[in-house]
Amino acid sequence: MERTITLGSKSGLHARPAAVFVQHAKTFKSQIWLSKKDKTVSGKSILSVLALGAQQGDEILLKVDGADAEVAINRLVPLLEGDLG
Amino acid sequence: MNVLRGVPASPGLVIGIAQVLRPAPPVDIEARHTGDAAGEITRLEQAIQSALLRLDTLRGAASGQTAEILEAQREMLDDPELKQGAEELINDNLSAAAAITRVAASYAEQLASLPDEYLAARAEDVREAGRRIVAELRGISLEVRLTHPAILVAQDLAPAETVGLDPALLQGIVTEAGSATGHLAIVAQGLDIPAVVGAAGVLSQIAEGTTLIVDGAQGTVTIAPDEQSLKAAREHLAATQRDKQDLQIYRDRQGASADGIPIEVFANIGSVAEARKAVEMGAEGVGLFRTELLAAQGLPTEEEQYTIYAEVAAVLQRPLIIRTFDIGGDKPIPGLDIPPEANPFLGWRGIRLALDRPETVFLPQIRAILRTAVTHDLRIMLPMVATPPEVKQARELIEQAYQNLQKAGQSARRVPVGIMVETPAAALTLDHFKDLIDFASIGTNDLVQYTYAVDRTNAQVRERAQPLGLATLRLIKQICQTGIPIAVCGQLAGDVQAAPLLAGLGVRELSVAPARVPSIKRVLSTMTLAEMQNKAEEALQ
C-alpha cells in the first residue's frame, strides 16, 4: 500500500519527530519504506530516516507491505502529516 | 600559574579542583576477531542490550532538550540497520568494536553532510552511540561519577554524560572542544554553573586535583592560580553573593534612609530590554531614557518613536523620564549633517541642535512623547542646557506641538519638563530656571568633565577629573539649594561611596544602571539622613 503525504512537522524529521515515527513504525510487522525524491529508506531505522533530511513541506512517499499494512498506514500517515513535535 | 582562553559558554565565577575525564582509547578499526563470527555477533548483541538499559536509566533522569536527544540516541542504538551493518563486517572478520565503530562513522558522515544544521549536529550522537556500545564491549563504564565538589575537565561532554552528574557536586565545566551554542552551554546555563568550551590545551595542561579558577563570562581558565588571583576571585565571589542578597531584600522596597526619608532609586536605560531589567531589579522608575541610542541607524520617525516609547512605558509601569536626543559631532547620525568640529563636546549638540532643527529633530520626538503621555506617566528632560532662554524656547515649541496635536484631533497630554544640569553655567545659575522647569537631573559625567576641564576619553588626563572633589561637591550643594527637585543620573549616583553624600547634599532621586539598584537602596538604608548630611558637610571642608 502506498500513500504520498506532505510532511507537516515544523522541524522536519528531526531527532524527536524521527524517533516518534520510528517507534510507531517498529510496532508493525509490515515492512515500511519512506521515499523522498529518488531516495528510499527503511522507516524502522532512525539513522536512515534522519539521513533522508526531510523538511516541512517535502513530499514523502510512504510504502507499507504486509499483513497489518492498512492499520499501519492509518497510524503513520497522520503522524507524518501532523506536528510530531 | 597559567591562563587558558576558550569560548564563554555559561557565565559565573568559580574556584575549585579539577576532575579530569580522559577520553577513551581509540578503537583500532582494523582489529579482527579470532574466527568465531557467531560468538562475536552475540557479544555485539549483548553489548547493545546493555547500552540500551543504561541509556534508559539516564533518560529517566533527564528533561527538556537532553531528554529529546537521549530519546533519539536510544533509537539509534536500537536501529536494525546499525546492527545489520556491523554484523556484515563481523562476518568479514572484523572485531565487534571495529565493526560498530565503522558503521557508526559511516552514518555520522552521511548526517554531517546534510545541509540542515540540526541534522548535521546529530552526527555526533551517532558516534556517541557507537562509543557506548564499544564501552560495553570493553566492560568500561562511560558514566562520570563525581565523588566530591569539582570542576569537570574533558575533551567534550555528550548529552548522556551530563545527565548523571550530581548538580550538588558539579561546580563548573571546561572542555577542549565545543561551541557557545552547543548542548553543553545550554545544560550549564540551565544548572547555573560556569562553563568554558573550546579551550585548547586544557587536557594536556591540567592534572587531576589542580586548583582552577573558571570565569564563564570571560571564557578563561586559570590553572594553579597565585595568591593575588585567588584573592581577586574570592572578592568577586563575595561581591556577587552580596548583590544577590541585596536584590532579594531590596527589590520590592522603596529607596529611603535608615530613618525613612524617601530617596528614590531609579534606573538609566536605553532600550526595552533594559527597561525589563530595571523592573526586575526593583527600580522605582526610569530617571534617564537615553533616546539617542534609537538613532544609530538614522533619526527614527515620529511613529517609530511613539511605538518604542509606548512599549517601554508599558513594560515599566512606573515614571519614565525621556531625555530628548543628546546627539553631537562625536557620533555621526546617518541622515543628519553635522559638520566636523574641533571640540564636539563643546559644540553643536543636545538642546542646541534640537532648537536649530525643530522640524527634523525636536518636534517629531516631542509629538511622540506627548501622544504616549496620554496613557503613561512620562516626563521630558532636555540635555546640554546652559541658559534659561534655551528652556523658554523649548517650552514654547513643546506647547506649540501640543496645540497642533489637539487641533489635528490627536490625543496628547502635557507633561512635566526638566533639564539635565551638566554645564557649569546651568549649575551656577539654576535658581534662574525655577519658573521654567519642574525638576533637574545632574549629569555628573559631563559636569565633572567641564568643571575640571578634563576629557574623560583621554587616558592621559582622565584621572585628574574628581567626581567627589571639592569643586563638584560645591556645585552640587549649590544646585540643591534652589528648591527645585534634584536628581543625579550620572555614574556617581551608582557609586556606594557617593550615594549617601549626594543624599546628604539634598539629592532625592538617584538614577543608576539597573544592576546597581539593589546595592544603592541598601547603602541608603544604612544611614539616617542626618548622618548623610554630616558626611556631606565633612566632605565639603
Side-chain angles (χ1 to χ4, degrees), chain B residues 3-39:
Chain B
V3 181
L4 292 177
R5 296 194 173 277
V7 174
S10 176
L13 183 71
V14 68
I15 308 171
I17 306 182
Q19 180 165 333
V20 184
L21 272 188
R22 301 260 162 230
V27 174
D28 177 4
I29 55 171
E30 300 296 338
R32 301 193 184 272
H33 59 74
T34 52
D36 177 14

Side-chain angles (χ1 to χ4, degrees), chain B residues 62-92:
Chain B
S63 58
Q65 215 189 60
T66 311
E68 279 184 28
I69 294 178
L70 290 186
E71 180 132 8
Q73 276 190 333
R74 192 213 186 273
E75 283 309 314
M76 288 178 187
L77 280 174
D78 202 21
D79 194 318
E81 296 201 351
L82 187 76
K83 189 157 85 136
Q84 203 179 322
E87 283 174 0
E88 280 166 22
L89 290 177
I90 291 175
N91 281 329
D92 256 345

Side-chain angles (χ1 to χ4, degrees), chain B residues 477-511:
Chain B
K477 180 170 178 183
Q478 185 170 349
I479 289 167
C480 290
Q481 284 169 336
T482 57
I484 300 167
I486 301 297
V488 175
C489 61
Q491 245 172 324
L492 205 58
D495 179 320
V496 290
Q497 304 288 355
L501 279 180
L502 295 172
L505 287 170
V507 174
R508 289 294 172 265
E509 178 206 301
L510 296 169
S511 196

Side-chain angles (χ1 to χ4, degrees), chain B residues 148-218:
Chain B
H148 53 82
I151 298 171
L152 209 50
V153 179
Q155 169 67 28
D156 202 347
L157 274 181
E161 287 171 310
T162 62
V163 176
L165 295 169
D166 185 349
L169 298 176
L170 182 62
Q171 296 178 308
I173 301 175
V174 174
T175 60
E176 190 102 23
S179 75
T181 52
H183 179 262
L184 195 50
I186 297 170
V187 168
Q189 285 165 28
L191 292 172
D192 201 14
I193 57 170
V196 175
V197 303
V202 289
L203 279 179
S204 54
Q205 296 188 48
I206 300 178
E208 186 83 12
T210 313
T211 302
L212 302 175
I213 300 177
V214 177
D215 187 334
Q218 299 296 324

Side-chain angles (χ1 to χ4, degrees), chain B residues 276-316:
Chain B
R276 278 194 201 104
K277 185 96 211 256
V279 172
E280 203 189 297
M281 303 304 277
E284 298 171 68
V286 162
L288 169 61
F289 180 7
R290 298 184 187 98
T291 57
E292 52 280 359
L293 301 180
L294 306 173
Q297 316 293 341
L299 281 178
T301 64
E302 178 188 331
E303 281 318 303
E304 284 168 347
Q305 291 185 60
Y306 173 67
T307 306
I308 297 169
Y309 301 150
E311 205 188 329
V312 170
V315 162
L316 208 54

Side-chain angles (χ1 to χ4, degrees), chain B residues 174-502:
Chain B
V174 174
T175 60
E176 190 102 23
S179 75
T181 52
H183 179 262
L184 195 50
I186 297 170
V187 168
Q189 285 165 28
L191 292 172
D192 201 14
I193 57 170
V196 175
V197 303
V202 289
L203 279 179
S204 54
Q205 296 188 48
I206 300 178
E208 186 83 12
T210 313
T211 302
L212 302 175
I213 300 177
V214 177
D215 187 334
Q218 299 296 324
T220 58
V221 181
T222 307
I223 306 172
D226 57 20
E227 255 320 300
Q228 199 181 24
S229 308
L230 279 173
K231 188 158 178 277
R234 285 190 195 114
E235 278 166 11
H236 185 111
L237 284 169
T240 309
Q241 195 45 26
R242 269 199 312 270
D243 285 346
K244 261 201 197 127
Q245 285 167 346
D246 282 349
L247 180 57
Q248 280 174 332
I249 301 172
Y250 291 97
R251 184 200 339 245
D252 299 318
R253 282 206 208 167
Q254 290 182 318
S257 64
D259 51 339
I261 310 294
I263 300 162
E264 292 176 316
V265 182
F266 280 21
N268 299 334
I269 66 170
S271 65
V272 178
E274 286 194 289
R276 278 194 201 104
K277 185 96 211 256
V279 172
E280 203 189 297
M281 303 304 277
E284 298 171 68
V286 162
L288 169 61
F289 180 7
R290 298 184 187 98
T291 57
E292 52 280 359
L293 301 180
L294 306 173
Q297 316 293 341
L299 281 178
T301 64
E302 178 188 331
E303 281 318 303
E304 284 168 347
Q305 291 185 60
Y306 173 67
T307 306
I308 297 169
Y309 301 150
E311 205 188 329
V312 170
V315 162
L316 208 54
Q317 301 289 335
R318 291 161 177 74
L320 169 59
I321 300 179
I322 300 180
R323 183 179 67 188
T324 56
F325 294 125
D326 190 12
I327 26 189
D330 55 322
K331 268 203 199 82
I333 306 279
L336 202 57
D337 257 311
I338 302 176
E341 298 170 312
N343 291 305
F345 283 110
L346 303 177
W348 198 40
R349 63 186 303 118
I351 192 70
R352 306 160 181 189
L353 179 59
L355 294 176
D356 288 347
R357 292 282 178 273
E359 291 303 328
T360 46
V361 177
F362 196 56
L363 288 172
Q365 181 164 42
I366 295 303
R367 283 195 300 265
I369 294 172
L370 295 176
R371 286 166 57 197
T372 313
V374 173
T375 42
H376 297 288
D377 180 357
L378 298 186
R379 303 162 200 187
I380 293 173
M381 187 158 69
L382 306 169
M384 267 302 270
V385 168
T387 63
E390 287 172 337
V391 182
K392 198 148 179 284
Q393 197 185 344
R395 290 207 78 140
E396 276 161 16
L397 284 168
I398 293 171
E399 180 59 23
Q400 212 181 85
Y402 173 75
Q403 295 297 344
N404 288 341
L405 281 169
Q406 297 281 78
K407 280 196 203 109
Q410 278 193 290
S411 317
R413 187 176 70 87
R414 291 189 181 91
V415 299
V417 176
I419 63 169
M420 290 279 295
V421 184
E422 46 194 341
T423 61
L428 289 165
T429 61
L430 195 62
D431 52 331
H432 281 251
F433 288 76
K434 256 183 108 140
D435 297 328
L436 290 168
I437 59 178
D438 301 303
F439 65 92
S441 187
I442 309 177
T444 51
N445 303 359
D446 280 336
L447 185 61
V448 168
Q449 266 206 131
Y450 298 130
T451 303
Y452 284 88
V454 167
D455 177 348
R456 56 190 158 98
T457 65
N458 184 339
Q460 188 74 34
V461 293
R462 189 186 293 149
E463 303 301 310
R464 292 182 182 270
Q466 296 178 28
L468 286 178
L470 190 56
T472 316
L473 294 176
R474 279 188 181 179
L475 276 177
I476 297 177
K477 180 170 178 183
Q478 185 170 349
I479 289 167
C480 290
Q481 284 169 336
T482 57
I484 300 167
I486 301 297
V488 175
C489 61
Q491 245 172 324
L492 205 58
D495 179 320
V496 290
Q497 304 288 355
L501 279 180
L502 295 172

